[in-house]
Amino acid sequence: MPAADRAAVRVRAATRADLAAIAALHTGARAAHHRARHPGAPFDTRAEQARCHDAWARCLDRGDTPALCAERHGTVLGAASYLAHASTARGDPPRTDPAPASRPTVALHQLHVDPDHWGTGVGRALHTACLRAWHTAGFTRAVLEVLWHNHRARGFYTRLGWLPDPDRRPTPDATHLTLTLDLLPRQRPAPQWPPAGR
């Protein structure tokens, strides 16, 4: 790995000044994924670039959708955004049962890394920053949708503990898979006294 890729990743709040860089890396990441399945197809067209630019402009202008970006040496290499899931955003009263739909849930809306920097820790740094923000905000469950055929992304999320959502089983013709991540702290078993075996 080049020395530049081993440098620390800095994650910070994204601003309007980052819009062009974020839209470009998002377009590039989507094109790289689709080109792997359909070589030669022009997925990074001007129309696709404009679509990503407009989507991120709306995200950065909204107060309810936090956005983060990851950079090395001042260059933006990745971005993520998330928002409260529908049931949480509606302010439904808390329930005492542990049903997933009743838990404060956050949706990871976007997480993209410049394809030239895939596998260098940028995506993991963004994910770690999201986890820190979600725990601080009191979310206990996270969800996301990933393209069914995007095996690279699915592998990335699986390694970070995400699992297929048992309440959102995909249909035979599904294009996306819903994943979920439990954000509750794992309970450690109570220590035994006297210690077992003594």
Side-chain angles (χ1 to χ4, degrees):
M1 183 186 299
D5 287 342
R6 291 196 299 269
V9 178
R10 175 177 174 244
V11 178
R12 58 172 174 79
T15 70
R16 259 284 185 162
D18 303 308
L19 176 56
I22 292 173
L25 70 86
H26 183 173
T27 304
R30 283 180 56 85
H33 160 67
H34 289 301
R35 198 176 292 119
R37 296 191 64 221
H38 307 284
F43 287 101
D44 50 356
T45 62
R46 203 177 282 264
E48 180 66 9
Q49 293 169 8
R51 189 190 70 76
C52 286
H53 183 279
D54 291 347
W56 277 100
R58 289 191 299 273
C59 172
L60 292 171
D61 287 342
R62 291 179 57 169
D64 63 346
T65 310
L68 304 173
C69 65
E71 61 181 15
R72 277 194 179 108
H73 304 300
T75 300
V76 175
L77 303 176
S81 70
Y82 56 87
L83 66 161
H85 200 257
S87 61
T88 304
R90 284 197 307 268
D92 293 346
R95 292 161 50 184
T96 55
D97 65 87
S102 70
R103 293 166 52 186
T105 301
V106 61
L108 179 57
H109 188 54
Q110 305 278 1
L111 195 157
H112 304 284
V113 173
D114 181 326
D116 288 339
H117 296 268
W118 283 352
T120 68
V122 176
R124 188 175 287 269
L126 279 167
H127 187 267
T128 298
C130 286
L131 288 178
R132 194 175 301 120
W134 298 343
H135 283 295
T136 299
F139 292 111
T140 61
R141 179 174 178 261
V143 297
L144 65 82
E145 285 194 349
V146 62
L147 282 167
W148 185 267
H149 295 291
N150 193 341
H151 298 292
R152 172 184 285 273
R154 287 174 60 178
F156 170 78
Y157 290 118
T158 297
R159 289 191 295 275
L160 293 172
W162 294 76
L163 299 170
D165 188 343
D167 297 323
R168 299 282 302 276
R169 297 190 184 281
T171 60
D173 60 346
T175 59
H176 289 74
L177 177 67
T178 301
L179 303 179
T180 184
L181 181 67
D182 191 346
L183 301 176
L184 288 171
R186 294 215 167 116
Q187 296 293 328
R188 293 184 178 176
Q192 295 180 341
W193 189 260
R198 289 193 181 180

